[in-house]
């Protein structure tokens, strides 16, 4: 009987041992990709972080699920610049894969670039786009930055730490410690590197260890993410100036919220007025449908033509339609702010601004009326009433026709 039980249990024990060995080897390979010594697997602070994340695994896997569509593209871009794919988890540590992420220090996007660093790596920030939120361009910038840091410091874990606290602070820490060994730099009593950075590198490794643990994922409710992340990706298409995301979403049958999620770098519902158009991202599985169904349409279908009246200026027109005067100037290729009566201007209108455009009608001033009473009656501001009728003071006359916005 005992012999039978041993015969039955031996294969299971062997399988468990092989699984453990396989997972252990993967963990060692992961640490090696960061140039970290194997002993770091037993770092108590890092393991506490790992255990805490596993205890709240819904947060971890929700972030993975939200990013499944663009994770392959991030990995591919990192590999293109010879940056270990495990640096994917640096982005997770920075922003939790939220492209809308914005810090109180003015860092933004997946990789949390500051405006100065973003411009250094040619990420455009203007009236129309913030490329710190561009999935591919920001990842390329991060990969270039990490490559430079690796070239300077020689080890990937040092590049990750420098990404957090800056190259100058890390160089100073190494000089003070007289070594670049991770266990020394992480000494909590010596304070060679900032506390935030000591936790930062541990957090990246902890997240990477969880994300690479296939056995854990296979035995959890998130098993589908293993295949899903490899099966989906994004494609880059170039749209002409002024094209609307709303129109594109209808043409290729993709929910607008999903399309916007892939294109957080666009500040409006439309593509910037750059002469050569602009890159937009769609799910790769929609590329064939895009090629088959997309056609260029004249802009007037989602733009408004404004005829300049007496008293109009770019600022006033911009406030009326909910867009910046710079946008109007760019779309109409105006060299100055001067306008002519009856001049036609193309006004690009973001979807979330369209409900603010009001139909106009006129009001005949009666005895006892004032700007305040009329404004209160029609629920508009006195300032707007003055602007629409080019009134400088408060004087209005009985029988005068005032233009209103309902």
């Amino acid at each position: 009987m005992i012999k039978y039980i041993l015969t039955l249990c031996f294969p299971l024990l062997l399988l468990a041992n092989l699984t453990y060995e396989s997972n252990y080897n993967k963990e060692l390979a992961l640490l090696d990709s960061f140039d970290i010594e194997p002993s770091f697997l037993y770092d108590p602070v890092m393991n506490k972080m790992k255990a805490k994340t596993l205890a709240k695994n819904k947060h971890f896997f929700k972030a993975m699920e939200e990013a499944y569509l663009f994770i392959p593209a991030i990995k591919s871009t990192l590999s293109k610049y010879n940056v270990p794919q495990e640096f994917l988890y640096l982005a997770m540590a920075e922003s939790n894969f939220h492209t809308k992420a914005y810090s109180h220090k003015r860092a933004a996007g997946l990789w949390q670039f500051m405006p100065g660093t973003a411009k250094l790596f040619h990420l455009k920030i203007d009236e129309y786009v913030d490329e710190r939120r561009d999935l591919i361009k920001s990842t390329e910038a991060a990969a270039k930055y990490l490559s430079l840091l690796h070239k300077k410091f020689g080890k990937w874990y040092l590049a990750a730490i420098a990404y957090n606290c800056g190259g100058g602070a890390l160089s100073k820490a190494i000089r003070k410690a007289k070594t670049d060994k991770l266990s020394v730099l992480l000494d909590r009593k010596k304070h060679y590197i900032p506390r935030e950075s000591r936790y930062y590198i541990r957090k990246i490794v902890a997240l990477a260890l969880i994300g690479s643990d296939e056995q854990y994922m296979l035995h959890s409710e998130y098993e589908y993410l293993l295949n899903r992340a490899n099966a989906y990706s994004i494609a880059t298409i170039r749209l002409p100036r002024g094209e609307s995301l709303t129109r594109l979403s209808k043409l290729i049958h993709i929910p607008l919220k999903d399309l916007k999620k892939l294109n957080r770098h666009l500040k409006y519902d439309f593509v910037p007025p750059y002469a050569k158009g602009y890159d937009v991202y769609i799910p790769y599985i929609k590329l064939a449908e895009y090629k088959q169904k997309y056609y260029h349409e004249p802009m007037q279908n989602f733009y408004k033509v404004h005829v300049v009246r007496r008293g109009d200026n770019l600022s006033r027109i911009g406030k009326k339609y909910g867009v910046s005067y710079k946008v109007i100037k760019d779309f109409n290729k105006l060299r100055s702010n001067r306008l002519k009566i009856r001049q036609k201007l193309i006004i690009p209108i973001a979807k979330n601004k369209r409900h603010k455009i009001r139909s106009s009608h006129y009001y005949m001033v009666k005895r006892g009326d004032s700007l305040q009473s009329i404004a209160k009656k029609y629920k508009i501001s006195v300032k707007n009433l003055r602007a629409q009728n080019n009134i400088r003071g408060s004087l209005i006359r009985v029988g005068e026709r005032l233009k209103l916005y309902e």
Side-chain angles (χ1 to χ4, degrees):
M1 183 67 179
I2 294 173
K3 185 178 179 181
Y4 173 75
I5 293 171
L6 288 171
T7 305
L8 186 66
C9 292
F10 181 73
L12 295 174
L13 291 168
L14 183 63
L15 181 62
N17 188 56
L18 287 172
T19 300
Y20 172 80
E21 285 292 327
S22 174
N23 197 51
Y24 179 69
N25 289 333
K26 280 187 178 180
E27 290 176 338
L28 292 180
L30 188 145
L31 289 181
D32 187 58
S33 68
F34 285 104
D35 298 319
I36 296 175
E37 293 290 327
S39 59
F40 193 70
L41 274 180
Y42 307 103
D43 181 85
V45 180
M46 187 274 291
N47 280 305
K48 190 176 180 181
M49 283 184 172
K50 184 182 173 186
K52 190 175 181 180
T53 304
L54 285 171
K56 299 179 179 179
N57 64 3
K58 285 187 178 180
H59 296 289
F60 176 87
F61 288 111
K62 185 181 180 183
M64 292 290 286
E65 188 172 29
E66 287 287 315
Y68 79 89
L69 200 61
F70 51 81
I71 282 177
I74 293 174
K75 286 184 174 180
S76 176
T77 304
L78 291 173
S79 295
K80 177 182 172 184
Y81 291 93
N82 298 314
V83 176
Q85 292 187 0
E86 288 77 12
F87 271 84
L88 164 77
Y89 296 97
L90 186 148
M92 191 180 198
E94 285 284 352
S95 65
N96 213 30
F97 293 140
H98 291 157
T99 48
K100 287 201 299 183
Y102 192 86
S103 79
H104 67 281
K105 293 180 180 179
R106 295 174 62 223
L110 206 65
W111 299 90
Q112 288 291 281
F113 275 109
M114 296 289 284
T117 313
K119 289 177 182 178
L120 190 65
F121 288 94
H122 309 293
L123 292 178
K124 189 175 290 185
I125 303 173
D126 63 16
E127 186 64 40
Y128 309 96
V129 298
D130 186 342
E131 291 182 343
R132 293 178 296 172
R133 293 189 168 96
D134 186 302
L135 298 169
I136 304 302
K137 291 178 181 176
S138 69
T139 301
E140 286 186 338
K144 289 175 183 177
Y145 187 27
L146 287 165
S147 294
L148 286 174
L149 291 172
H150 179 258
K151 187 176 180 180
K152 179 178 180 179
F153 293 103
K155 293 172 183 174
W156 284 114
Y157 69 80
L158 293 173
I161 293 171
Y163 192 95
N164 178 254
C165 67
L170 181 58
S171 294
K172 186 179 178 181
I174 292 171
R175 285 196 302 271
K176 188 177 179 181
K178 297 179 181 178
T179 180
D180 63 6
K181 197 172 180 180
L182 184 59
S183 59
V184 177
L185 292 175
L186 292 181
D187 191 312
R188 65 186 182 89
K189 293 181 180 179
K190 298 290 185 179
H191 298 170
Y192 290 122
I193 58 175
R195 182 175 181 271
E196 181 188 341
S197 300
R198 297 199 300 271
Y199 281 91
Y200 184 77
I201 185 62
R202 287 174 166 125
K203 184 177 182 180
I204 295 168
V205 174
L207 292 172
L209 287 170
I210 296 169
S212 63
D213 191 345
E214 292 184 5
Q215 289 302 315
Y216 175 77
M217 294 181 75
L218 281 169
H219 295 92
S220 73
E221 60 184 297
Y222 304 99
E223 179 187 352
Y224 65 93
L225 286 175
L226 284 170
N227 297 322
R228 199 178 189 187
N230 294 322
Y232 290 75
S233 194
I234 59 176
T236 306
I237 60 172
R238 174 150 290 210
L239 295 180
R241 61 190 299 269
E243 180 59 276
S244 164
L245 289 184
T246 300
R247 177 172 177 263
L248 177 64
S249 74
K250 291 176 182 177
L251 285 176
I252 63 175
H253 300 101
I254 175 175
L256 182 60
K257 64 180 181 65
D258 292 343
L259 191 58
K260 284 186 173 181
K261 183 180 171 184
L262 290 176
N263 295 280
R264 297 289 191 201
H265 53 293
L266 296 179
K267 292 184 178 179
Y268 296 95
D269 181 56
F270 48 81
V271 172
Y274 307 148
K276 295 181 180 179
Y278 195 74
D279 288 345
V280 166
Y281 305 116
I282 61 173
Y284 187 80
I285 56 174
K286 287 289 181 180
L287 184 58
E289 191 172 358
Y290 163 77
K291 289 179 178 178
Q292 181 184 359
K293 294 182 177 179
Y294 181 78
Y295 62 95
H296 182 48
E297 187 175 67
M299 285 194 284
Q300 59 261 31
N301 284 352
F302 45 90
Y303 285 66
K304 185 169 181 66
V305 177
H306 176 90
V307 181
V308 177
R309 301 166 60 92
R310 189 177 300 279
D312 277 348
N313 59 50
L314 288 176
S315 179
R316 187 174 294 168
I317 296 168
K319 287 179 181 177
K320 175 181 176 181
Y321 294 104
V323 295
S324 165
Y325 80 93
K326 292 179 182 177
V327 173
I328 301 172
K329 195 173 179 180
D330 288 350
F331 267 91
N332 293 276
K333 298 180 180 178
L334 302 177
R335 294 183 179 180
S336 73
N337 294 342
R338 296 183 65 182
L339 300 175
K340 298 177 182 177
I341 302 298
R342 292 188 293 278
Q343 180 180 354
K344 292 183 179 180
L345 299 174
I346 297 173
I347 314 295
I349 303 166
K351 185 182 179 185
N352 63 345
K353 299 289 184 184
R354 290 178 190 173
H355 70 280
K356 294 184 181 179
I357 300 168
R358 298 156 178 160
S359 58
S360 63
H361 75 277
Y362 291 88
Y363 175 80
M364 188 75 72
V365 177
K366 299 173 184 176
R367 189 177 299 277
D369 281 339
S370 67
L371 289 178
Q372 286 77 13
S373 65
I374 297 168
K376 185 177 180 181
K377 181 178 179 180
Y378 290 96
K379 297 179 180 179
I380 57 177
S381 68
V382 173
K383 184 180 179 181
N384 187 37
L385 198 55
R386 283 198 183 103
Q388 298 307 321
N389 296 277
N390 200 22
I391 299 172
R392 292 186 178 180
S394 298
L395 181 64
I396 51 176
R397 295 180 176 85
V398 175
E400 185 179 355
R401 248 188 5 154
L402 299 180
K403 189 175 183 181
L404 308 177
Y405 285 90
E406 294 176 335

